[in-house]
Amino acid sequence: MTLVMERPATETLPVEEAAKETGGLVILACSGDLERTWATLILANTAAALGKPVTIFFTFWSLFTLVRNDRGTTGENWMQKMLATMNPGGETKLKLSKMNFMGMGPAMMRSLAKRYNVSSPQELLDTAKEMGVKLVPCQMTMDMMGLKREDLIDGLEEPGGAATALAAADGSTTLFI
Amino acid sequence: MTLVMERPATETLPVEEAAKETGGLVILACSGDLERTWATLILANTAAALGKPVTIFFTFWSLFTLVRNDRGTTGENWMQKMLATMNPGGETKLKLSKMNFMGMGPAMMRSLAKRYNVSSPQELLDTAKEMGVKLVPCQMTMDMMGLKREDLIDGLEEPGGAATALAAADGSTTLFI
Amino acid sequence: MTLVMERPATETLPVEEAAKETGGLVILACSGDLERTWATLILANTAAALGKPVTIFFTFWSLFTLVRNDRGTTGENWMQKMLATMNPGGETKLKLSKMNFMGMGPAMMRSLAKRYNVSSPQELLDTAKEMGVKLVPCQMTMDMMGLKREDLIDGLEEPGGAATALAAADGSTTLFI
């Protein structure tokens, strides 16, 4: 198993064992913090690599993980503008720049992660899509934040709500992150 | 079951009831953040509307969701006074005013929510009670925070502890929020 | 069951009921906040007292719960030094001193907890080890934070990753805290 996409061959669970694990993984992602975004995507991709069906619901701050970079930098809606104002530091990626990470700053964490071969959230998100992880944006959050479907990245499921999340949760390992 | 040794006989779930809850939803609410309070109540009410048995345990900061408004404003104990001192902004509802919500402020979020027809935490809590969602305050937190039963809103279950929460969790979708 | 080590005999769940609860408890601990550390250890120890198998994975900030005190105070690596710089208040235990706890401060919370017979995180951790709770440090976090095995307390399982956590989660109540 690996958290580190550069080293895919470190998985030690045999396929048979993975096949026995019939239950899927459902993550209700709420936080926009870097470490929780990392945990969400690392768990999701690991479960997908084990052959499990995986679904992530992105609500509240986590939804910004799915905002297109070019929307984030152009700031074409009020939310982007406000968040940009709140984050004058000049980080190139808005969805990382709003994270303080207990004073360390996301830049330091990204540097550390790179040194230890941990993929960036963007890379992990790309991998998730390639591995068939279902990415579901929360419709209510989109409405509240003024985000439209075209503000979000490609390859997502149809927006859903709490009932969608709960239906997926039945019989699965379900985590609120 | 109790986390709090003063009331050892508060375990109330009969075996029959536990058996009936095969696919219920149990939320261990810990956070007092507005978005997580929202997520807790929206998931709980949605599950209840789907016919699932739902139990929410309110521990630590989430317990303030259950404090009566008139207690919050009068500040008759040290905790209320301290929290009031920490929140000089004049929000009418203490349990909302202590939330910063990443700099946006709860007032803006409430305004947005209203515009997009998302109920306030208070409305969602009222709905939860009407739909039979079991609301269990954490006895240990009550003791630590100096909160008495009469400081909390009506319609709650008997205060409980970790064992109560774990008994309810068996066989249910269980989320720590 | 008790969270409160001073009064161990108040457990009320019959042995039969405990035996029926075959599913274990798996906690993916991510947060370093005092109240979440408390919740993690109280739930873990309560479940262990009920006879359940319990595993805690310590990732990101939660890993500091497992750092030896003498490492924390000496600050022999850059992370310790940086965290020490961020926390000039002179708390004797680093892993508590980095918590703000919504302005109350950990000292006040510890004082309250003592008054109401709630054990400290350190006491709860010792109890967890005595009760057979499996404590698994996250290898990736150790790498990122520059923590070596000898920086951590004794009595831990071998460091593991996401696949280890997911394998343990199958069929168990699983909480992300």
Side-chain angles (χ1 to χ4, degrees):
Chain A
M1 178 36 36
T2 178
L3 311 175
V4 180
M5 294 304 117
E6 287 81 356
R7 306 160 79 189
T10 51
E11 178 59 59
T12 59
L13 276 185
V15 174
E16 293 78 7
E17 185 171 342
K20 275 187 289 178
E21 302 174 26
T22 52
L25 176 66
V26 173
I27 297 178
L28 311 185
C30 178
S31 171
D33 292 347
L34 178 55
E35 80 272 24
R36 288 183 174 245
T37 303
W38 245 328
T40 294
L41 294 170
I42 287 169
L43 285 166
N45 291 358
T46 303
L50 291 167
K52 291 171 179 287
V54 183
T55 303
I56 310 176
F57 290 84
F58 292 86
T59 70
F60 294 101
W61 302 117
S62 78
L63 192 62
F64 286 95
T65 312
L66 302 181
V67 173
R68 303 174 77 92
N69 281 341
D70 52 355
R71 306 295 288 185
T73 47
T74 49
E76 297 181 14
N77 63 47
W78 66 266
M79 173 64 71
Q80 304 289 352
K81 283 178 189 161
M82 188 181 63
L83 285 174
T85 304
M86 287 161 53
N87 296 285
E91 286 288 331
T92 55
K93 293 183 75 173
L94 185 63
K95 62 181 171 297
L96 287 174
S97 68
K98 74 172 185 286
M99 301 158 193
N100 186 329
F101 211 40
M102 284 192 84
M104 299 181 64
M108 180 187 289
M109 289 309 295
R110 279 204 302 270
S111 164
L112 271 174
K114 201 159 196 173
R115 185 172 156 199
Y116 289 102
N117 292 331
V118 181
S119 303
S120 73
Q122 192 58 55
E123 290 169 318
L124 290 167
L125 199 57
D126 290 342
T127 304
K129 287 194 285 188
E130 288 164 16
M131 299 180 82
V133 172
K134 290 185 183 175
L135 307 172
V136 184
C138 171
Q139 182 68 62
M140 186 190 80
T141 306
M142 290 173 64
D143 291 345
M144 281 181 59
M145 305 290 194
L147 291 169
K148 294 190 173 57
R149 185 62 189 80
E150 59 264 28
D151 296 321
L152 306 181
I153 60 175
D154 298 326
L156 306 181
E157 305 292 311
E158 284 299 300
T164 317
L166 288 167
D170 262 319
S172 296
T173 295
T174 307
L175 306 174
F176 189 98
I177 298 180
Chain B
M1 178 37 37
T2 176
L3 307 175
V4 179
M5 295 309 117
E6 285 81 359
R7 304 166 82 187
T10 49
E11 182 58 59
T12 58
L13 270 186
V15 173
E16 293 81 4
E17 188 169 342
K20 271 188 294 180
E21 303 180 19
T22 51
L25 175 66
V26 174
I27 297 178
L28 311 185
C30 178
S31 169
D33 292 347
L34 177 56
E35 80 273 22
R36 288 182 174 245
T37 304
W38 245 329
T40 294
L41 294 170
I42 287 171
L43 286 167
N45 290 358
T46 303
L50 291 169
K52 291 172 179 289
V54 183
T55 303
I56 310 176
F57 289 85
F58 292 86
T59 70
F60 294 100
W61 302 117
S62 78
L63 191 62
F64 286 96
T65 312
L66 302 182
V67 173
R68 303 174 77 92
N69 282 339
D70 52 355
R71 305 297 286 186
T73 48
T74 50
E76 297 181 14
N77 63 47
W78 68 265
M79 172 66 70
Q80 304 290 352
K81 283 178 190 161
M82 188 182 63
L83 286 174
T85 304
M86 286 161 52
N87 296 285
E91 286 287 331
T92 55
K93 294 183 74 174
L94 185 63
K95 63 181 170 298
L96 287 174
S97 68
K98 73 173 187 286
M99 301 159 194
N100 186 328
F101 210 41
M102 285 194 83
M104 299 182 63
M108 180 187 289
M109 289 309 294
R110 280 204 301 270
S111 164
L112 272 174
K114 202 159 197 173
R115 183 172 156 199
Y116 289 103
N117 293 328
V118 182
S119 302
S120 73
Q122 192 58 56
E123 290 170 317
L124 291 167
L125 198 56
D126 290 342
T127 304
K129 287 194 284 188
E130 288 164 15
M131 299 181 81
V133 172
K134 290 183 184 174
L135 308 173
V136 184
C138 171
Q139 181 69 62
M140 186 189 81
T141 305
M142 290 173 63
D143 290 344
M144 281 182 59
M145 304 292 192
L147 291 169
K148 295 190 173 57
R149 185 63 189 79
E150 59 263 29
D151 296 322
L152 305 181
I153 60 175
D154 298 325
L156 306 181
E157 306 292 311
E158 284 296 301
T164 315
L166 288 167
D170 261 315
S172 296
T173 296
T174 307
L175 306 174
F176 189 97
I177 299 181
Chain C
M1 173 39 35
T2 177
L3 308 177
V4 179
M5 295 307 118
E6 288 81 357
R7 304 162 84 187
T10 50
E11 179 57 61
T12 59
L13 273 186
V15 174
E16 292 80 4
E17 186 170 341
K20 274 188 291 180
E21 302 176 25
T22 52
L25 175 67
V26 174
I27 297 177
L28 311 184
C30 178
S31 170
D33 293 345
L34 177 55
E35 79 273 22
R36 289 182 173 246
T37 304
W38 246 328
T40 295
L41 293 171
I42 286 170
L43 286 166
N45 290 359
T46 303
L50 291 168
K52 292 170 178 288
V54 183
T55 303
I56 311 176
F57 289 85
F58 292 86
T59 68
F60 294 100
W61 302 117
S62 77
L63 191 61
F64 286 95
T65 312
L66 302 182
V67 173
R68 303 174 75 93
N69 282 340
D70 53 354
R71 305 297 287 186
T73 47
T74 50
E76 296 181 14
N77 64 46
W78 65 267
M79 173 65 70
Q80 304 289 354
K81 282 178 190 161
M82 188 181 62
L83 286 174
T85 304
M86 287 161 53
N87 296 285
E91 286 288 330
T92 55
K93 293 183 74 172
L94 185 64
K95 63 179 171 299
L96 287 174
S97 69
K98 73 172 186 286
M99 301 158 195
N100 186 328
F101 211 41
M102 286 192 83
M104 299 182 64
M108 180 187 289
M109 288 309 296
R110 279 203 303 269
S111 165
L112 272 174
K114 202 160 196 172
R115 183 172 156 199
Y116 289 104
N117 293 331
V118 182
S119 303
S120 74
Q122 193 57 56
E123 289 169 317
L124 290 167
L125 199 57
D126 289 342
T127 304
K129 286 194 284 188
E130 289 164 17
M131 299 180 81
V133 172
K134 289 184 182 173
L135 308 172
V136 184
C138 171
Q139 181 69 62
M140 186 191 80
T141 306
M142 289 173 64
D143 291 345
M144 281 181 59
M145 305 290 193
L147 291 169
K148 294 190 173 57
R149 185 62 190 81
E150 58 264 29
D151 296 322
L152 306 181
I153 59 174
D154 298 325
L156 306 181
E157 305 292 310
E158 283 298 300
T164 316
L166 288 166
D170 261 316
S172 298
T173 296
T174 306
L175 306 174
F176 189 96
I177 298 182

